[in-house]
Amino acid sequence: MKNFISASDVTNIQQLVDNALKYKLNPFLDGHLGKGKRIGLLFLNPSLRTRLSTQVAAANLGMEAIVFNVDKEGWALEFQEGAVMNGTTVEHIKDAAPVLGQYFDVLAIRTFPTLKNKAEDYSEMFIKQFIRFAGVPVVSLESATLHPLQSLTDIITIQELLKNAAAYKPKVVLSWAPHIKPLPQCVANSFAQWVNAWGGANFVITHPEGYELDEQFTNGATVIHDQAEALNNADFVYVKNWSSYEQYGQQLSSDTSWMLTNEKLAITNDAKVMHCLPVRRNIELSDEILDGPNSLVTQQAGNRVWAAQAVLAEILNSLNQ
Ligand code: CP
């Protein structure tokens, strides 16, 4: 694997999941794989889980990780080709990325969408410019349209719960939730893309009308606008807010009745509840769910380490070839 920005960068998702679960059992299995190698973690946006889990994963592989909060500590970057830089941007990505490529063996980048310009966001211009100019492997720590380390984690978590029922295809429902402000579609897009590519689940998406995701990621998944119908017999419910893709970045609904509660959980097959975190309590998900026995959110966030470790190990192996 050269870069990791999407499910399509992975040849065998199940193998990656199995490797991650091996690291969970034995974190230092490949404790020398990253010896003498350095990863730069560049954040253009805030993070708790992604930042720390990737640092822990790198340390488990003997790799040095250096975090750079580009948004707070770096020069304002310009990404437009041919830009006349007479405004707020100070350094072009064409100049910054090759320098970063000199300092690091691998670069990992978090960069959110603007939610203003759909064509620009969905072209993944920011992360693709890093790939183009850095000259080293690039790992997405969440980009404009996708969050692949999160989605790999989510599949690891589902797989872990299914370990004694390998032949069983669970019903997995991605359920839209209310929020106070418009959020990117990344986590939802990415979860759909990875679950489809993995193929180990019966996948259903439920959301109010107008929240259809980009079909390049949902890829024919069943969409049901009646949340109760969708939740019927679900084994896993993945709760997430996203803003509209069609009316790009808009909040079309603030219907609080979409929040998952124990009453709704009763329709399911005692479903386990997932959320990538951070979560707005009693807006996106109720206290009773988050503090209850069906919540997987802490286990899920813990698994971020093993997902990152499996991905970094695969990249290190390809660097060492
Ligand atoms: N789920 C997730 O990516 O969390 P952070 O934004 O805290 O990294």
Side-chain angles (χ1 to χ4, degrees):
M1 181 160 46
K2 175 85 169 85
N3 301 300
F4 181 78
I5 62 168
S6 151
S8 51
D9 293 315
V10 181
T11 23
N12 188 336
I13 290 179
Q14 189 56 56
Q15 184 66 58
L16 204 55
V17 170
D18 294 345
N19 290 347
L21 290 171
K22 252 192 303 187
Y23 285 131
K24 185 164 185 172
L25 284 176
N26 185 356
F28 305 111
L29 184 68
D30 290 321
H32 296 289
L33 187 62
K35 194 169 163 31
K37 296 279 193 290
R38 197 173 288 131
I39 182 169
L41 307 179
L42 310 184
F43 286 88
L44 285 83
N45 302 94
S47 165
L48 185 155
R49 279 144 291 271
T50 308
R51 170 186 181 135
L52 296 172
S53 62
T54 311
Q55 281 182 278
V56 173
N60 288 349
L61 294 166
M63 188 182 202
E64 186 185 4
I66 294 179
V67 175
F68 182 31
N69 296 310
V70 181
D71 56 338
K72 297 181 189 71
E73 295 153 3
W75 300 114
L77 291 173
E78 175 62 58
F79 289 86
Q80 293 291 350
E81 189 69 39
V84 177
M85 291 171 55
N86 59 359
T88 53
T89 56
V90 178
E91 180 162 29
H92 204 284
I93 188 67
K94 280 179 165 182
D95 302 312
V99 174
L100 294 164
Q102 297 284 308
Y103 300 157
F104 297 106
D105 302 284
V106 180
L107 277 179
I109 294 140
R110 165 164 286 199
T111 165
F112 286 168
T114 61
L115 288 185
K116 292 186 169 62
N117 185 332
K118 178 163 148 179
E120 189 175 288
D121 287 345
Y122 273 69
S123 75
E124 289 286 11
M125 179 180 71
F126 287 17
I127 202 154
K128 283 188 176 160
Q129 299 266 55
F130 275 104
I131 290 172
R132 183 168 166 212
F133 295 113
V136 295
V138 171
V139 173
S140 167
L141 300 173
E142 188 169 350
S143 66
T145 66
L146 293 169
H147 195 353
L149 283 173
Q150 180 65 53
S151 308
L152 173 58
T153 301
D154 300 335
I155 290 176
I156 290 164
T157 308
I158 292 170
Q159 174 83 55
E160 197 171 33
L161 270 284
L162 290 175
K163 61 180 173 246
N164 296 322
Y168 179 65
K169 252 192 172 191
K171 178 174 176 182
V172 175
V173 179
L174 171 61
S175 184
W176 182 89
H179 204 279
I180 59 157
K181 61 178 196 177
L183 295 189
Q185 296 100 38
C186 310
V187 171
N189 281 342
S190 196
F191 186 67
Q193 185 197 43
W194 279 75
V195 171
N196 283 328
W198 177 50
N202 293 314
F203 185 43
V204 173
I205 306 173
T206 183
H207 54 70
E209 303 256 3
Y211 280 93
E212 284 71 17
L213 294 163
D214 186 346
E215 283 182 12
Q216 70 168 306
F217 304 121
T218 55
N219 197 22
T222 305
V223 177
I224 299 174
H225 292 123
D226 179 336
Q227 191 189 32
E229 185 189 337
L231 291 176
N232 186 36
N233 251 339
D235 298 296
F236 293 88
V237 184
Y238 198 109
V239 176
K240 186 72 185 88
N241 170 270
W242 63 89
S243 58
S244 174
Y245 170 69
E246 282 307 321
Q247 295 179 57
Y248 192 59
Q250 300 292 305
Q251 269 190 304
L252 307 179
S253 167
S254 49
D255 183 354
T256 54
S257 73
W258 274 79
M259 184 178 76
L260 196 66
T261 57
N262 275 342
E263 195 183 339
K264 289 186 187 175
L265 211 55
I267 312 167
T268 69
N269 183 24
D270 197 24
K272 297 293 182 191
V273 179
M274 304 175 73
H275 188 287
C276 62
L277 302 181
V279 64
R280 297 253 180 182
R281 279 179 175 252
N282 304 310
I283 298 286
E284 288 176 87
L285 261 174
S286 57
D287 278 340
E288 62 181 9
I289 297 270
L290 283 164
D291 299 333
N294 290 55
S295 172
L296 287 183
V297 298
T298 305
Q299 180 177 343
Q300 191 183 350
N303 284 338
R304 292 293 306 269
V305 171
W306 319 116
Q309 194 165 335
V311 168
L312 293 182
E314 199 157 316
I315 289 175
L316 287 167
N317 277 324
S318 69
L319 284 178
N320 292 337
Q321 271 170 9

